[in-house]
Amino acid sequence: MGRGKLRIYLGAAPGVGKTYAMLSEAHRRAERGTDVVVGFVEHHKRPRTEVMLHGLELVPRRELEYREATFTEMDVDAVLERAPAVALVDELAHTNVPGSRNAKRWQDVEELLKAGIDVISTVNIQHLESLGDVVESITGVRQRETVPDEVVRRADQIELVDMSPQALRRRMAHGNIYQPDKLDAALSNYFRPGNLTALRELALLWTADRVDEYLQQYRGEHNIRTTWQARERIVVGLTGGPEGRTLIRRASRLAEKGAGGEVLAVYIAANDGLQTVSPKELALQRTLAEDLGGTFHHVIGDDVPSALLEFARGVNATQIVLGVSRRKPWQYMLGPGVSATVARESGPDLDVHMVTHDNVAQGRGLPIARGARLGRARIIWGWLAGIAGPALLTLLLRGVVPDIGLANDMLLFLTATVAAALLGGMLPALASAAFGSLLLNYFFTPPLGQFTISNPKNIVAIVIFVGVAVSVASVVDLAARRTHQAARLRAESEILSFLAGSILRGENSLDALLERLRETFTMDSVALLERTSDVEPWTCTAAVGARPVERPEDADVDIPVGENLALVLSGRALPAEDRRVLGAFAAQAAVALDRQRLVDEAEGARKLAEGDRFRTALLAAVSHDLRTPLAGIKASVTSLRSHDVDWSETDRDALLEGIEDGADRLSALIGNLLDMSRLNTGTVVPMIRETDLDEVVPMAIGGVPDGSVELDIPETLPMVAVDRGLLERVVANIVENAVKYSPESLPVLVSASSLHDRVELRVVDRGPGVPDAAKEQIFEPFQRLGDAPRGAGVGLGLAVARGFTEAIRATLTAEDTPGGGLTMVLTLPRTTDSEPSAGW
C-alpha cells in the first residue's frame, strides 16, 4: 500500500475559511463517490461551518481525562480501523492532551498517511515553526502550538485561503467567527488591521516560495532552459572590480520596484586568463549583497559570458545587471567583451541592464590573457588567417606591389603565420607556414610558376622561413598552454582558499558547502553518502539539488572520502583536471560533517554538565535546607515524647506549632524541587484557558500570614489566557518571596491593570531591593541574594515562577519599587479566543 497524499489549506489568521473550504472539498469528493470521513473537525460554534458537517461521516472522538476535566481528541486507532480513502483532520499544529497516542496532531496525520489514507488538513501561517519569532514580534503573542515547516512543505498540495483584513474584520463583526462578547477584545488586539496585513503578507510570501520550489522542480524534470518570468530575479555579474558595489546597489533598487524581487550577485572565476581580483573587494561586495537581502555566488567557468548566462537561466532569472566595460578603446580589437556578448546572446527572455560607473574605459590592469582553450570562433579565425592570409598576400604582392624583394615577401608571410599562431594556436600556424612556403616557392622564387628553386640562397631562405614560423608557432602555443595552466591554478587556489577559510571560521554548514560545490561546477545535485561497513547500504547524510542519487554507481561523478564516505554529483561528467578541486571539496565536506557531529556531541555534553551542576547544587542545598526543618521536627517530637518534663499546655502548643511549621517548610521545599525537575525535563504541559485574576490571586496568597498582603484586583479586568494551576503557583511563589523580605509593618501590595493587549500583575514589596546587575540572577536556581535568613529555602521559588511563566506564554521581570524595595511584574496575555487549548 502506497503512502497517502496530504492536502493542506493554509490561512493567515483564524476565520479566513480554511475549515469551510476543507469541508466543501470533502462534499465535492463525497459526491464523486469517494469514501470520506471526518477524523477531527472543530467548528468553534460557527453556524455555517457546523452546517457543513451535515452529511459527512464522523468518526467518534476519544475522551481523555486531564486535571479533573474531560477533553476529546481524534481517535487515531478508530480512523485506521475504518480505513477511509480520505480523512479530514483539522488544526494540524494542535497539541494533543497528555495521554494521547501522539504528542502532536501532525504526528497523528503521519500515521494516517503511512497507512495509505489521504488527509486534508488546515493550518495557520503563525503556527509554522520557523515564523514563531516573526509572528511574536508582529502580534505580541508567542505561539506555543507549532508544526515543523518540513511537515507542511512535504504536502502534496498546499492551497492558500486568502481574505483581506477588512473582509475578515467584517466577518467577525457579523458574528461569524467569535461570540459577541469576545468581538471587541479580538478586534482591538490580535485582529487589528496591521496584524492581519502582516500575517497575510507572511502567508503569501511563504506560499510563493513553495510555488517557486514546485516551479524549479518542474523545470528540472522537463529540462526547460528558457526563463519563465514568474518572479523578478536579478543576476548581477561581478568582475571583482570596484564598480561591483555600484552594480549591486542598482540591482537592489530594481528589485525593490517589484514585490518579491530577488538579487543574486555572481562572480565567475574565468579559466581563460589571469585577472587581478582583490579578495578584499570581493568580500566587501559579498557583505553588501547580503546586507541588501541578496545572495552571493562564486562560479568557475571556461567562458565568462556563457557561464553567466547559464547561471542566470539556471536560477530562472529575469534580468542581468552588468557594468559598462573597463576596457580601453584599443582593447576592443581583441574581442567584443563580456557585456556585449551577454547582451547579444541573452535572447528575448533575459533583459540586460548596462550600468555606467566611475571606472568606465579606465583599463582592466593586465591585458586579457590567452589560453589553450581558445574556443570555436578563435580557432576558425586562426585557420582563416593561416590559409586565407597567405593567399591574400600573394594576390596583393603579385598585383599591387610587385617586386619588393624576396626578403620582404618572407617577412610578410611570416607575419601571417604569427597571426595564425596568436589566434588559432599551433595547428593553424603550421598550416600557414607550410602553405606560405609553397606560395613563396611557386610565385616568388625563380623559376616562377614551378615548385623548383634554382638559386641555393633561396633554398636557405625558405628553410629559415619555415623554421622561424614553426618556432614562433611553438612558442606562442606553449605560452598559451602555460597561461591556461596559470589561470586554472589561480581559479582553483581561489576556491580552495575560500573553502579553507570558511571551514576554519565555521561559517559554512555542510549543506552550504555542498550548495557551493553544486554552483561551482553547475551540477544538478550533490550528495554526501555514508555507510557503516562495506556490506551495509549507503545512506544520504546531506544533499542539495533536485533528485540526489542514492548510490555512488548511479552518479556522474564519484569522489570517495575514506572507506565509508563518498561525495557524489549528478548532472554531467567532469574532466579529470577537476578532480583536484573535487577532492578538496570532499575533504572539506568530511571535515564539516565531523564538525557538525562534534557540535551536536558538545551540546549533549553541555546538557549533561548542566544536569550535573543542577544535581550538585541540589545536593548542596538539600544537605542543609531540608535537614534544618527535619532537625526542628525531630527535636519537637522528642521533647513531646519525653516523660521527664511536664509540659504546660502553652509549651505543648508551641512545640506542635514548630512541628507544623517545619512540615510546611518541607512541603514547600519539596514542591519547588519537584517543579524545577519538571521544568528541566520539559514535562510541563500548560492547558491554556480563560481565567479571571480575581479568582486565582486570592487562592494563591492563602499560604501567607493574614494582613501581610494587600489586594487591588479590579473586577472589571479582562480575562487572561493562561493555565490556572500554573498561574496560581507563580503568584504564590512571588508573593511568598515578597512577604519574606518585606518588613512586617508594611504589607505587600498585589495590584493588577489592563494595558492594551495584556494584563499586568504587580507584586510590590518594601524590602531591601535587588541591585540592577542581579535582577536576572535572582531567577536562576539556587540563588539567594542579600541577607536571606538561614533555612528560608533552597533558592528555587523565583526560578520555578519564571519557568512556569514562560510555559503559559507570559513574562516575569523585576523592577525597583519607588522609595525602596522590589516590584515583580507579571505580564499576562489577554484572552482573544475561547478555545480550550493554546494558540489558534
Side-chain angles (χ1 to χ4, degrees), residues 373 488 492 557 559 573-583:
R373 297 181 179 179
R488 176 80 187 183
E492 290 181 1
V557 181
I559 304 295
L574 295 177
E577 60 186 0
D578 289 335
R579 295 189 71 87
R580 179 168 58 247
V581 177
L582 286 173

Side-chain angles (χ1 to χ4, degrees), residues 518-724:
R518 190 184 70 83
E519 290 179 353
T520 299
F521 293 99
T522 61
M523 304 298 285
D524 292 338
S525 67
V526 179
L528 188 64
L529 305 181
E530 187 178 22
R531 60 182 178 182
T532 56
S533 65
D534 295 340
V535 298
E536 294 294 328
W538 292 93
T539 58
C540 183
T541 302
V544 295
R547 301 185 304 278
V549 297
E550 299 179 354
R551 300 184 304 170
E553 51 266 29
D554 297 333
D556 294 312
V557 181
D558 170 23
I559 304 295
V561 188
E563 296 181 356
N564 299 317
L565 200 64
L567 184 67
V568 295
L569 301 87
S570 64
R572 62 188 177 92
L574 295 177
E577 60 186 0
D578 289 335
R579 295 189 71 87
R580 179 168 58 247
V581 177
L582 286 173
F585 268 107
Q588 296 288 24
V591 171
L593 179 61
D594 290 340
R595 178 191 290 271
Q596 181 175 304
R597 289 175 174 172
L598 287 174
V599 169
D600 294 339
E601 291 177 3
E603 180 63 20
R606 186 191 65 80
K607 291 181 178 179
L608 289 175
E610 285 288 333
D612 288 340
R613 186 185 67 83
F614 179 80
R615 285 190 290 271
T616 301
L618 175 61
L619 290 175
V622 167
S623 65
H624 177 271
D625 293 284
L626 289 183
R627 184 181 299 172
T628 300
L630 282 174
I633 294 173
K634 176 68 173 177
S636 297
V637 171
T638 303
S639 299
L640 287 173
R641 296 187 62 186
S642 175
H643 299 291
D644 298 336
V645 180
D646 187 12
W647 300 103
S648 65
E649 192 66 27
T650 303
D651 293 336
R652 184 179 299 273
D653 290 340
L655 291 173
L656 291 174
E657 184 180 355
I659 295 174
E660 185 177 8
D661 290 343
D664 290 341
R665 288 168 55 191
L666 278 177
S667 177
L669 290 173
I670 293 174
N672 279 333
L673 290 172
L674 292 176
D675 289 339
M676 201 65 210
S677 177
R678 290 170 59 202
L679 289 171
N680 285 340
T681 56
T683 57
V684 177
V685 181
M687 297 299 297
I688 306 300
R689 293 184 178 182
E690 295 180 343
T691 304
D692 283 325
L693 280 182
D694 58 357
E695 295 179 359
V696 176
V697 176
M699 297 180 62
I701 64 174
V704 298
D706 294 338
S708 60
V709 176
E710 179 181 340
L711 289 181
D712 181 15
I713 309 294
E715 295 182 357
T716 58
L717 279 177
M719 301 182 76
V720 293
V722 295
D723 183 298
R724 181 167 180 166

Side-chain angles (χ1 to χ4, degrees), residues 414 417-419 421-422 426 429 466-478:
L414 182 61
T417 301
V418 171
L422 290 173
M426 186 71 171
V466 173
V468 170
V470 172
S471 300
V472 170
S474 300
V475 170
V476 171
D477 183 69
L478 180 62

Side-chain angles (χ1 to χ4, degrees), residues 344-368:
R344 184 181 67 246
E345 298 180 0
S346 61
D349 55 343
L350 273 173
D351 296 334
V352 179
H353 297 264
M354 305 293 292
V355 179
T356 59
H357 50 86
D358 295 336
N359 299 283
V360 173
Q362 292 187 6
R364 295 170 57 95
L366 292 177
I368 299 177

